[in-house]
Amino acid sequence: MHTATNTIQIDRQQSLADIPLAVRSLGFPVGIAALVVSFLLSYFTMSDGQGLAYFLNAYLIAFMFVLSISLGCLFLVFVTLLTRAGWSVGMRRVAEMIAQGVLPLMILFLPVALSVLMGSSALFPWNDPSLVHDSELLQKKSGYLNSGFFFIRYLVYSAVFIGLARYYFRTSLKQDSSGDPELTLQMERTSTWGAYLFAGSLTFAAVDWMMSLQPEWFSTIFGVYYFAGSAVASLAFMIIVLMTLQSRGLLRGVVNVEHFHDLGKLMFGFTCFWAYIAFSQYFLIWYANIPEETRFYLVRQGGQELETGWPYVSLALIAGCFVLPFVGLMSRTIKRNRTTLFFWAIFILGMRYVDMYWLIRPNYQPNPEAILGPTFGLVDILCLIGIFFIWLGSIVWIASNRPIVAISDPRLPESLAFKNI
Amino acid sequence: MSDEGHKKKPVSTEPVVAGLVAEFSDPHEVLHAAERVRDAGYRKWDVYSPFPLHGIDDIMRRPTILPWFSAIGAVLGLTTALLLQWWTNAVDYPIQVSGKQPFAFPASMPIDFELTVLFTAFATFFSIILTSGLPKLYNPWLMNDRFRKGVTNDKVCIAIDASDPKFSRSKTADLLRSLHPAAVEEVMIVPESAALPAPLKIAAVVVLIVALVPPILIVRKRATLTTTPRIHLVQDMDFQPKFKPQSLNPFFADLLSFRPNIPGTVARGDLQLDQRFFDGIDPSAPVAAISNVAYQEGEKKPEEEKKPEPEKKPEAAPANPAPAAPPGAPAAAPVDNTPYTKEFPAEILEQLKTNPGDVMKRGQQRFNIYCATCHGLEGVGDGLVSRRAAQLEQPTWVKPLSLHDQPVQEQPVGKLFRTITHGVRKMPGYGSQITPADRWAIVLYIKALQRAKNASASDVPASELEKLQ
């Protein structure tokens, strides 16, 4: 292991350009091909128009999962600036780069947004006029849940996410060449109101894109739930990316065991935070006995005469998203060991996908008579591969030829010398 | 055996060696010294310090089974919590609410957590006391002045027990001296003084016996038969300064605590002069008819109990006006001569003039609350209770009449009002639950329901009709 000291010389030329061009340009063709195959597969093999609904559902799961990584990294960028954290400066540029992923993601959401605008209710039942006509609750909500406003909100979220992500990346790059410490202060000041914009947009985006899949249902904590998950996902992804880059010779000496230890601690902490939020949501709804609220968990946990297999997914979620990582990450030794930390990062990231699956898939119910159990197949895998590759490809494309460390940040020496007690 | 026991009885008064104590001034030296003692293979030795010595645990390598007790406590606590909640919720007394499972594992987690922590804490606490040999009434090292003064002040001591298999007076002392202590001393004790003093033994026996008194009292109380509470734990709640109904009150001449009404007076709100409004009776009817009603009312609806059933049978016979039926009508149905009012009381009419929508809305709301459970929202008799009773094939259940049946349609409003007030057949009276004004509002709403059921296209406003077509 490397031990960082103040004397370490950083290679100012370090960037993703070291990765061969062939690998870098692999993302787009693979991703687009996977998405097209996935769409055709579901559209032509599934009967009576259910193909589109299934494809969109799988697409949304993959989309929300990948989006949570980018948004979580954006959160890491501004929250470390906001707290004037020193330890994280060495890795902040990587987080800034991953946050750039919101740009392709907002374009990738366009098919969903446009389908809603054109009146499709394959994904969002509130877009079905006959359903709204029958439900007083949906009529009351239609002032918010309508296709036009939905599309406008999508544009607003896109503007906020992309605007914030681009702002930090650009300002930070400007500092690379000018070395002006004033830019750090400027980013800190922006983070104050930027945090409010981010929190509001993320909350409403989660409500629009996931909670409204079951429009009668509501949970006031839902935005925080998605946020907690995205923080966990981004920390896990950061660990994976930093270790991968180091294995390719990048960032050596900039990020060391002390930084990984801190990332592990944060991942552990946010895992507990997610569990706390998830349990708060569950407990209040389960004991409040309000039918519109309880039905969310009735499907997922199994009610009186309901054995669908969803209860097992729910239990797996409790175990995989909280109990196992909680026990596994508790020890200091595990967080300071590359292999074990890498394992838990992979595991936790995988469980983030399961969480999104658990939130979104139960809303795909082609048959109103019987509740469909968990389904998973090639369409889901191809959707995940597709969105992930396009996203990663775009990040590499945006980030290549840019320094991978914020070399002129005034707090970089502090980050290099950082040591846990 | 008895011989040996006899020998042991007189405890030796000769001093014996209890062990060796080495005193150190520098805590860091103790760490090295402890390492040497450990490596020399001693087992019954300890380090005494007035402050925590970091790292001494690792050096002494004392194996402890304490974590295992904690773990057993945790498992017991978790099992208890799960079994307790599962059994009470799902087996012993399952309650079903909105189709949820009686027992849901995630919902049980707070109690699982609490009991796990509680049991773990108990197990840990009591096993600490057990494994460290507490309560320890006698410690030989305290016989040594240097130890007693040093360890409670600023010195650290290593003590090696004479019962250690490797202990030898000379060799152990040499070892300790080689560790550069401030001093090494032999601790001598008189075995007699180590024995428990006799007064203490007597005191312990007395305490044990006294401790038995409360449980014995409780057992005795439990074994006796009594109709009154055995123990009054909360005195001021059990004996309240108030008089209960039917009890004696020496304050009054008649000794009754329950005061009768004073003749010639009416309590506030009990003056119900408007017979039309409060009873649904037409006050302009002959006095004889009205007094007859009062009599029947005292009997509690004997007329209403019997009457509507035969009324149902001649349904086929058209136009059988139930109220004030002319004598000689079909069959031998008991004639209902009650002078029901055929119009709404003045109060309701007044409200209908000023804001008719309010009364109707109030009536609809009250109807949906009180009546619709059996009669259904449209009054055809398909309420949830009725449907459930039919599903269970309850033999005692009498299906509620449809409010749109011809006889009900023709009932005067006063009769509807009185049925709501006093009940009919299986239907209980709602007089005590619904205020008269609300009862009249319900009657109005029933009339509206009946009218709506028989509505034709011509009743719909032309503009609305166009929309429908």
Side-chain angles (χ1 to χ4, degrees):
Chain A
M1 270 312 302
H2 298 264
T3 6
T5 61
N6 278 323
T7 55
I8 273 203
Q9 283 295 309
I10 300 160
D11 181 3
R12 296 181 70 90
Q13 302 306 315
Q14 275 195 357
S15 79
L16 291 180
D18 300 357
I19 302 172
L21 190 68
V23 179
R24 269 191 285 154
S25 48
L26 207 65
F28 291 112
V30 171
I32 291 169
L35 282 183
V36 168
V37 171
S38 169
F39 177 73
L40 295 177
L41 203 65
S42 55
Y43 199 77
F44 288 107
T45 54
M46 295 181 76
S47 55
D48 38 283
Q50 287 305 326
L52 185 66
Y54 188 90
F55 170 76
L56 282 175
N57 192 291
Y59 186 88
L60 191 69
I61 295 171
F63 171 81
M64 293 310 292
F65 166 66
V66 177
L67 178 67
S68 75
I69 301 173
S70 264
L71 289 183
C73 281
L74 185 54
F75 165 72
L76 288 184
V77 170
F78 75 68
V79 89
T80 52
L81 281 164
L82 208 51
T83 54
R84 301 193 168 168
W87 68 275
S88 57
V89 171
M91 65 181 78
R92 202 189 68 222
R93 177 60 51 79
V94 177
E96 283 166 7
M97 287 170 171
I98 300 171
Q100 301 310 304
V102 292
L103 190 65
L105 283 171
M106 288 304 119
I107 297 167
L108 279 170
F109 192 72
L110 211 54
V112 177
L114 284 177
S115 77
V116 169
L117 205 59
M118 289 187 298
S120 159
S121 59
L123 200 52
F124 297 103
W126 49 261
N127 210 20
D128 182 355
S130 67
L131 210 70
V132 176
H133 184 262
D134 291 342
S135 163
E136 196 185 343
L137 206 57
L138 290 191
Q139 284 166 25
K140 295 250 162 74
K141 289 187 178 186
S142 63
Y144 183 85
L145 289 180
N146 59 67
S147 53
F149 194 27
F150 180 86
F151 196 79
I152 293 170
R153 287 199 304 274
Y154 151 69
L155 293 178
V156 172
Y157 306 147
S158 306
V160 170
F161 293 152
I162 295 171
L164 280 176
R166 297 298 295 168
Y167 167 77
Y168 288 115
F169 193 46
R170 276 200 192 148
T171 317
S172 181
L173 283 175
K174 210 193 287 174
Q175 196 182 43
D176 278 359
S177 48
S178 75
D180 184 6
E182 176 61 31
L183 289 173
T184 300
L185 294 173
Q186 189 199 323
M187 285 196 285
E188 282 169 6
R189 281 194 294 273
T190 310
S191 302
T192 51
W193 51 267
Y196 284 101
L197 270 185
F198 173 83
S201 303
L202 182 142
T203 303
F204 279 93
V207 167
D208 281 5
W209 300 344
M210 284 196 292
M211 202 170 101
S212 79
L213 290 169
Q214 197 173 349
E216 289 98 351
W217 183 68
F218 54 91
S219 162
T220 45
I221 210 170
F222 196 80
V224 188
Y225 182 92
Y226 183 65
F227 161 72
S230 63
V232 177
S234 66
L235 287 162
F237 193 71
M238 281 289 285
I239 290 170
I240 296 167
V241 165
L242 291 174
M243 285 188 180
T244 313
L245 290 176
Q246 288 198 336
S247 72
R248 299 193 60 89
L250 293 165
L251 285 171
R252 292 222 171 134
V254 178
V255 178
N256 59 41
V257 64
E258 305 293 338
H259 302 102
F260 281 122
H261 186 190
D262 260 21
L263 283 174
K265 282 190 270 184
L266 278 176
M267 190 161 75
F268 178 72
F270 273 103
T271 297
C272 298
F273 181 64
W274 175 89
Y276 163 57
I277 297 300
F279 189 71
S280 302
Q281 173 174 297
Y282 170 82
F283 208 50
L284 289 189
I285 289 178
W286 190 252
Y287 275 137
N289 281 332
I290 301 172
E292 300 96 70
E293 290 186 26
T294 319
R295 50 184 291 191
F296 178 82
Y297 285 108
L298 277 187
V299 177
R300 284 162 181 81
Q301 193 179 310
Q304 210 55 59
E305 294 114 356
L306 210 85
E307 284 305 327
T308 53
W310 283 113
Y312 300 105
V313 182
S314 302
L315 286 177
L317 205 64
I318 297 175
C321 285
F322 176 62
V323 178
L324 294 180
F326 178 76
V327 176
L329 274 173
M330 207 185 294
S331 158
R332 175 187 171 93
T333 325
I334 288 174
K335 290 194 282 270
R336 290 177 79 87
N337 180 307
R338 286 180 82 90
T339 319
T340 48
L341 187 66
F342 190 75
F343 164 77
W344 280 115
I346 295 271
F347 180 85
I348 285 174
L349 195 64
M351 284 314 295
R352 292 326 308 156
Y353 180 82
V354 178
D355 186 21
M356 292 301 117
Y357 175 84
W358 178 83
L359 280 176
I360 296 173
R361 179 50 50 87
N363 295 304
Y364 170 71
Q365 296 295 353
N367 181 7
E369 302 293 315
I371 287 168
L372 186 72
T375 45
F376 191 78
L378 201 56
V379 175
D380 298 272
I381 297 169
L382 285 173
C383 271
L384 182 61
I385 291 176
I387 290 182
F388 187 81
F389 269 71
I390 294 176
W391 173 75
L392 199 62
S394 316
I395 291 173
V396 174
W397 186 49
I398 295 171
S400 59
N401 302 320
R402 312 279 194 202
I404 205 160
V405 182
I407 35 181
S408 305
D409 193 291
R411 292 205 184 88
L412 187 59
E414 190 187 338
S415 171
L416 296 178
F418 172 71
K419 267 207 182 348
N420 279 292
I421 304 160
Chain B
M1 285 299 280
S2 64
D3 213 36
E4 225 177 86
H6 191 71
K7 254 186 211 169
K8 267 192 174 176
K9 265 271 156 92
V11 182
S12 158
T13 49
E14 287 291 308
V16 295
V17 178
L20 281 161
V21 166
E23 187 189 86
F24 295 82
S25 318
D26 183 2
H28 295 288
E29 268 180 32
V30 176
L31 297 181
H32 299 294
E35 258 173 17
R36 294 274 304 279
V37 175
R38 177 196 70 200
D39 294 340
Y42 289 97
R43 309 196 65 167
K44 294 198 161 181
W45 62 287
D46 214 340
V47 180
Y48 297 86
S49 164
F51 40 78
L53 278 178
H54 291 292
I56 193 74
D57 302 335
D58 294 334
I59 291 169
M60 291 178 72
R61 280 194 208 140
R62 275 295 151 84
T64 171
I65 50 167
L66 199 64
W68 289 105
F69 282 117
S70 303
I72 291 169
V75 171
L76 272 180
L78 183 62
T79 319
T80 311
L82 281 173
L83 282 178
L84 176 79
Q85 292 176 87
W86 167 77
W87 190 75
T88 49
N89 287 336
V91 182
D92 188 36
Y93 206 100
I95 300 174
Q96 287 173 8
V97 184
S98 17
K100 302 191 304 187
Q101 306 136 288
F103 174 73
F105 164 67
S108 77
M109 282 198 288
I111 293 171
D112 297 344
F113 173 73
E114 300 286 351
L115 279 195
T116 307
V117 170
L118 182 74
F119 277 51
T120 313
F122 275 144
T124 313
F125 178 74
F126 288 114
S127 31
I128 282 178
I129 288 188
L130 275 177
T131 52
S132 46
L134 291 172
K136 200 170 194 171
L137 299 175
Y138 180 81
N139 190 334
W141 311 128
L142 291 174
M143 295 291 107
N144 181 285
D145 274 350
R146 187 180 277 279
F147 179 90
R148 197 167 61 232
K149 286 173 185 159
V151 156
T152 55
N153 197 359
D154 60 345
K155 303 285 196 292
V156 186
C157 286
I158 293 180
I160 303 179
D161 203 295
S163 60
D164 192 288
K166 290 205 73 177
F167 186 83
S168 117
R169 275 175 92 158
S170 54
K171 276 185 188 167
T172 310
D174 288 345
L175 170 75
L176 284 174
R177 274 193 203 96
S178 71
L179 303 173
H180 317 295
V184 174
E185 284 191 10
E186 227 168 39
V187 179
M188 308 294 286
I189 55 158
V190 183
E192 189 191 39
S193 65
L196 204 61
L200 221 57
K201 282 183 188 166
I202 297 168
V205 172
V206 170
V207 166
L208 275 177
I209 291 171
V210 171
L212 280 175
V213 173
I216 288 171
L217 279 181
I218 292 171
V219 168
R220 208 179 141 265
K221 284 282 187 189
R222 284 184 64 87
T224 50
L225 289 173
T226 167
T227 51
T228 52
R230 295 174 175 101
I231 304 167
H232 291 281
L233 283 179
V234 191
Q235 291 279 333
D236 58 350
M237 208 162 156
D238 290 344
F239 306 105
Q240 293 176 21
K242 70 172 188 189
F243 292 103
K244 290 180 177 167
Q246 310 293 345
S247 63
L248 283 178
N249 185 350
F251 182 78
F252 296 106
D254 57 4
L255 298 182
L256 291 174
S257 65
F258 217 27
R259 303 312 301 157
N261 290 337
I262 299 166
T265 63
V266 178
R268 254 169 217 273
D270 278 8
L271 186 64
Q272 300 182 341
L273 283 182
D274 187 351
Q275 269 194 311
R276 199 190 293 276
F277 183 70
F278 289 105
D279 292 332
I281 299 295
D282 188 357
S284 60
V287 178
I290 294 176
S291 59
N292 193 30
V293 172
Y295 165 73
Q296 286 182 341
E297 206 175 314
E299 289 267 311
K300 192 75 191 165
K301 56 182 174 159
E303 40 129 18
E304 290 176 29
E305 193 98 57
K306 287 182 193 129
K307 192 199 57 24
E309 276 173 83
E311 196 182 49
K312 206 178 165 188
K313 280 171 204 159
E315 217 167 323
N320 175 27
V335 181
D336 186 5
N337 285 323
T338 315
Y340 298 113
T341 175
K342 285 174 187 155
E343 45 196 80
F344 282 92
E347 271 186 66
I348 304 297
L349 290 176
E350 188 64 32
Q351 282 182 46
L352 279 176
K353 243 179 248 169
T354 47
N355 38 10
D358 282 2
V359 190
M360 191 61 89
K361 278 226 172 84
R362 179 78 182 165
Q364 179 185 30
Q365 188 209 30
R366 296 290 109 176
F367 181 88
N368 290 349
I369 290 172
Y370 289 105
C371 317
T373 45
C374 287
H375 288 283
L377 288 169
E378 291 169 27
V380 292
D382 64 343
L384 280 176
V385 173
S386 185
R387 291 213 303 253
R388 179 75 175 150
Q391 195 183 342
L392 295 176
E393 296 175 355
Q394 291 279 334
T396 55
W397 179 253
V398 182
K399 195 178 176 296
L401 277 190
S402 166
L403 300 178
H404 306 290
D405 283 352
Q406 191 69 17
V408 185
Q409 289 237 18
E410 285 165 4
Q411 283 180 11
V413 289
K415 183 165 168 63
L416 286 172
F417 179 84
R418 288 183 66 82
T419 308
I420 296 172
T421 311
H422 302 297
V424 62
R425 292 189 302 277
K426 272 278 161 190
M427 173 178 159
Y430 282 83
S432 59
Q433 292 181 52
I434 314 177
T435 63
D438 281 349
R439 273 176 263 154
W440 280 114
I442 293 174
V443 171
L444 182 73
Y445 182 65
I446 292 173
K447 281 288 162 203
L449 278 181
Q450 291 170 343
R451 177 74 184 84
K453 197 83 174 172
N454 295 319
S456 62
S458 59
D459 291 328
V460 184
S463 56
E464 291 290 319
L465 204 57
E466 268 173 42
K467 271 189 211 165
L468 287 172
Q469 286 162 349

